[in-house]
Amino acid sequence: MATREATQFAFRAQKDMDVCNAPPASAVSVDQLAKPAEEVRALAYSPNGKFLAWAVASHVQVVDAHSLAPVAQIAHPGVLDVRFSPKGTYLVTWERMGRSTDAEPTTNLKVWDAATGVLHGGFVQPSFVAAAIQWTDDEKYCAKLFPGQVRFYTPGSMTKPTLTLKLDGVAAFSVSPGLSPSVAVFVPERKSKPALVHLYALGSFASPVANKSFFKAEKVEFFWHKLGTNVLVLTQTDVDKTGRSYYGESSLYFMAAAGNFDCRVSLDREGPIHDVAWSPSEKEFVVVYGFMPAKAALFNHRVETIFDFGVAPRNFVRINPHGRIITIAGFGNLSGQVDMWDRKTLKKICSVDAHGASFCEWGPDGRYLMAATLSPRLRVDNGIRIWHYSGALVYNKEISELYQVDWRPAPASLFPQRSALSPVPEGIAIASDSDAKKDAKPPSAYRPPHARTRETDSSSPRSLSDIAEQKSFGGIATQRTVPGAAPRLPVGANPNVAAKAAEKKRRRNRKKLSKDDTNGDNNESEKDADSTSATPAKDAAPITDIDILKKIRQLNKKLTQIETLVKRRDQNEALEDNQISKIEAKPQIESEIATLTARLSDLS
């Protein structure tokens, strides 16, 4: 048995990059890491866990993942993505295309020797594609898609392809894992012809081993079994012509690499297919499908249902490296609940809350599940949480502007699993949701950017906008209203009658406002003459605070017009009689503004 090392994970954030030991060891930073001074743009472990590479603005650094000692530094600026070949021998980098004075475009997808930093070759890749270069597990060949063909290169000679698979209209391909690699290619629908998926044995491209044709397929995803013997083909369209789904239509097909079996996976629930996952230890897979709440089911290699996990708001599935624990969760716009099932007993072990998570993966030991909330999908509550499969939260840390986190890969054979699930190891600290928020500020009400520098506890607002902000943020008590929304009605009330009553009330208020504008001081004298029969001025004024604010804005607008007329008069410009009347009404308008402002203070 190989030497067993502590599990490890690495993360990068806007202002930090770190490598940490993972539970059951103390989840602390590894001291040997020399952190870069610049912002880390990309981060990746090699699939065999041997190397760790990251890219900054000026170069790419490769270190030994165990000791974190420097291995190579590639002085190539502008790299935005780094990926290793299966054995970690080669490093693939991608940067944005630059301008070239030559007729030939500049290569921006490059293959380097990970240990020495020597450049082996490069390709033109205008837009970023995660699997732009695919490798066989033995690293004998790497492949890239070109118009109408898939070219296979040997890493030692990347100027000319060693093998070429030519197929008109090919839009996607996938190289299988395993000792005898297969190549799956996809040709989308064209006019009235169906979409096609062909399976070829690597190096034998004269005729396909297996074929599958279907309609309603604009793009596909290939899900290979770990041994490369079977593949699941998930077909998707961007638009559902029936109008039943916002996410388009999707179907799932099963194909054997030997060509002796293929079929459509029959699902007993309508709706999109959310996620698919193969078991690493058995020839079986889990599918999450259907309109919400979605259904999850376990199938064998003959596409027969083994177990039904039930219906719940779920859209995500992962199986731990030993194939023992099945994780079914609901992320994105769902609640983030994660259910863990024991494959052996087909019973639920526990449920945990990973709300807001945009990353969820099992550690290489198969005992700990990590979930992380990443930016830019969510810019608040970014952090990392790790649970033992029993449901105990063993690690919880908030990290501002967290961009990426990854486990260090390791063979599952280094972590043998018992027949019975073991409890949380003794001595491990149990974290809580409050641990990561001890220093966090309590949430506060939203304030618009222009108001964030003002004193929120000021009792004397400086302007009408301050009054409105205080009313929104709780400074002035008022009933919550939604602009444009109909008022809430009692149960059984007739909405038509209520609407007519509201309209009559608005008309009465408008008439009262117009009387205030035309009568002015006349109303005051009438009130003094007969105070018992006349309605007080306070009742004749606008009823709600919003009406008062509108009236004050109208009067302020009149004052602005009067000030303009005064300036014209001071410049000896002849004015009309109605303009002179406006100037003479200035004291009356100022008095009315003062009265309304006092009323607004009384309402508060």
Side-chain angles (χ1 to χ4, degrees):
M1 183 182 295
T3 304
R4 177 171 165 177
E5 300 179 5
T7 54
Q8 182 187 101
F9 65 89
F11 68 85
R12 65 180 181 94
Q14 184 182 32
K15 299 180 180 179
D16 192 16
M17 177 259 176
D18 208 349
V19 177
C20 302
N21 290 324
S26 299
V28 295
S29 302
V30 180
D31 297 334
Q32 299 94 320
L33 177 66
K35 295 185 180 182
E38 306 172 67
E39 179 184 353
V40 177
R41 298 180 172 183
L43 179 75
Y45 279 105
S46 61
N48 62 355
K50 183 178 180 181
F51 296 124
L52 171 65
W54 63 80
V56 294
S58 58
H59 65 275
V60 177
Q61 181 68 53
V62 182
V63 301
D64 182 275
H66 172 62
S67 64
L68 299 180
V71 174
Q73 187 177 101
I74 302 173
H76 187 67
V79 172
L80 298 177
D81 186 73
V82 293
R83 295 174 188 270
F84 282 93
S85 60
K87 294 183 177 180
T89 308
Y90 305 99
L91 180 69
V92 181
T93 63
W94 180 87
E95 72 260 16
R96 292 190 180 95
M97 290 188 64
R99 295 183 179 180
S100 175
T101 57
D102 303 330
E104 294 294 329
T106 305
T107 58
N108 63 325
L109 183 67
K110 301 180 180 180
V111 180
W112 311 80
D113 189 292
T116 63
V118 175
L119 179 65
H120 283 275
F123 305 94
V124 176
Q125 183 66 38
S127 59
F128 172 72
V129 178
I133 292 182
Q134 299 186 33
W135 300 81
T136 57
D137 279 357
D138 58 5
E139 296 183 349
K140 185 178 180 180
Y141 296 102
C142 64
K144 188 180 185 303
L145 179 66
F146 289 86
Q149 55 185 277
V150 180
R151 298 177 184 175
F152 293 80
Y153 299 85
T154 55
S157 177
M158 305 192 72
T159 56
K160 184 178 180 181
T162 305
L163 301 170
T164 303
L165 193 165
K166 296 182 179 181
L167 186 64
D168 291 338
V170 59
F173 80 102
S174 179
V175 178
S176 76
L179 300 177
S180 301
S182 301
V183 182
V185 293
F186 168 69
V187 179
E189 297 179 57
R190 289 183 296 180
K191 298 181 180 179
S192 59
K193 295 182 180 180
L196 299 171
V197 169
H198 298 305
L199 291 184
Y200 296 89
L202 183 60
S204 302
F205 300 145
S207 61
V209 176
N211 298 287
K212 193 69 181 175
S213 61
F214 31 71
F215 287 98
K216 298 181 181 180
E218 297 176 359
K219 54 186 177 181
V220 299
E221 287 185 73
F222 296 102
F223 297 87
W224 288 97
H225 185 267
K226 182 179 180 180
L227 301 177
T229 54
N230 301 295
V231 62
L232 291 168
V233 183
L234 176 61
T235 66
Q236 293 177 312
T237 60
D238 293 329
V239 178
D240 184 356
K241 295 182 179 180
T242 64
R244 291 179 297 178
S245 174
Y246 175 81
Y247 301 99
E249 296 180 83
S250 56
S251 299
L252 188 65
Y253 298 88
F254 181 98
M255 298 181 70
N260 55 359
F261 180 72
D262 64 77
C263 70
R264 178 173 179 170
V265 180
S266 298
L267 304 174
D268 58 358
R269 191 177 181 86
E270 292 186 352
I273 298 172
H274 304 285
D275 202 6
V276 180
W278 279 99
S279 170
S281 58
E282 302 290 341
K283 290 185 179 180
E284 56 190 29
F285 58 93
V286 179
V287 185
V288 182
Y289 60 95
F291 294 115
M292 289 295 163
K295 186 176 183 179
L298 178 66
F299 296 84
N300 62 15
H301 68 288
R302 305 305 295 179
V303 197
E304 299 167 339
T305 304
I306 301 175
F307 183 73
D308 183 352
F309 294 96
V311 174
R314 306 288 183 265
N315 59 3
F316 176 91
V317 59
R318 288 292 184 274
I319 305 177
N320 79 335
H322 300 84
R324 180 66 184 271
I325 312 295
I326 300 174
T327 299
I328 305 174
F331 296 130
N333 58 352
L334 301 180
S335 63
Q337 181 173 333
V338 180
D339 298 331
M340 300 191 197
W341 292 76
D342 186 352
R343 171 60 188 90
K344 186 175 181 180
T345 62
L346 291 176
K347 294 182 179 180
K348 185 191 291 189
I349 304 171
C350 65
S351 295
V352 299
D353 181 14
H355 60 275
S358 46
F359 170 88
C360 184
E361 289 293 343
W362 282 99
D365 61 355
R367 292 168 171 81
Y368 298 94
L369 180 73
M370 175 190 291
T373 303
L374 304 179
S375 183
R377 185 187 176 277
L378 285 177
R379 297 188 180 274
V380 295
D381 296 331
N382 286 185
I384 302 171
R385 286 169 286 178
I386 300 177
W387 290 270
H388 186 264
Y389 55 56
S390 63
L393 181 65
V394 297
Y395 181 80
N396 189 13
K397 181 178 182 180
E398 280 197 358
I399 304 172
S400 177
E401 295 283 337
L402 177 64
Y403 294 140
Q404 181 185 356
V405 59
D406 279 317
W407 288 101
R408 179 189 175 189
S413 58
L414 295 180
F415 309 92
Q417 205 157 29
R418 301 174 183 174
S419 57
L421 295 177
S422 55
V424 181
E426 294 182 2
I428 190 170
I430 305 300
S432 65
D433 290 334
S434 60
D435 290 347
K437 299 186 178 183
K438 289 180 179 178
D439 300 327
K441 296 181 179 179
S444 58
Y446 172 79
R447 289 179 62 83
H450 72 275
R452 290 173 184 170
T453 57
R454 298 181 184 171
E455 294 289 339
T456 57
D457 57 347
S458 176
S459 59
S460 56
R462 299 186 301 175
S463 65
L464 293 176
S465 61
D466 283 346
I467 295 174
E469 287 166 12
Q470 286 190 12
K471 298 169 78 62
S472 299
F473 307 141
I476 299 177
T478 182
Q479 184 179 1
R480 181 179 180 271
T481 59
V482 179
R488 294 183 177 179
L489 301 178
V491 177
N494 189 333
N496 296 328
V497 175
K500 291 179 181 179
E503 180 61 26
K504 289 181 180 179
K505 184 177 179 181
R506 285 193 291 270
R507 289 177 182 175
R508 288 197 300 269
N509 291 339
R510 284 196 293 266
K511 287 181 180 179
K512 291 176 182 178
L513 288 174
S514 62
K515 287 181 180 179
D516 290 341
D517 292 337
T518 55
N519 295 338
D521 293 335
N522 294 332
N523 289 339
E524 297 292 336
S525 61
E526 291 175 1
K527 288 180 286 179
D528 293 337
D530 191 1
S531 59
T532 59
S533 60
T535 303
K538 185 174 284 188
D539 295 336
I543 297 175
T544 65
D545 50 1
I546 297 177
D547 293 334
I548 294 176
L549 288 172
K550 288 182 179 179
K551 183 61 179 176
I552 292 176
R553 291 192 185 97
Q554 293 174 0
L555 295 174
N556 281 329
K557 186 176 181 180
K558 290 183 180 180
L559 284 180
T560 303
Q561 295 173 351
I562 290 173
E563 291 174 358
T564 304
L565 293 175
V566 170
K567 290 180 181 179
R568 291 172 59 187
R569 185 190 63 182
D570 294 342
Q571 295 174 357
N572 298 324
E573 183 177 344
L575 300 178
E576 301 291 339
D577 293 340
N578 61 339
Q579 294 174 333
I580 296 174
S581 300
K582 284 185 178 180
I583 295 176
E584 293 174 350
K586 181 179 179 181
Q588 179 182 345
I589 295 174
E590 291 176 341
S591 175
E592 191 172 357
I593 291 175
T595 302
L596 291 174
T597 305
R599 283 215 57 200
L600 189 63
S601 299
D602 293 339
L603 289 177
S604 64

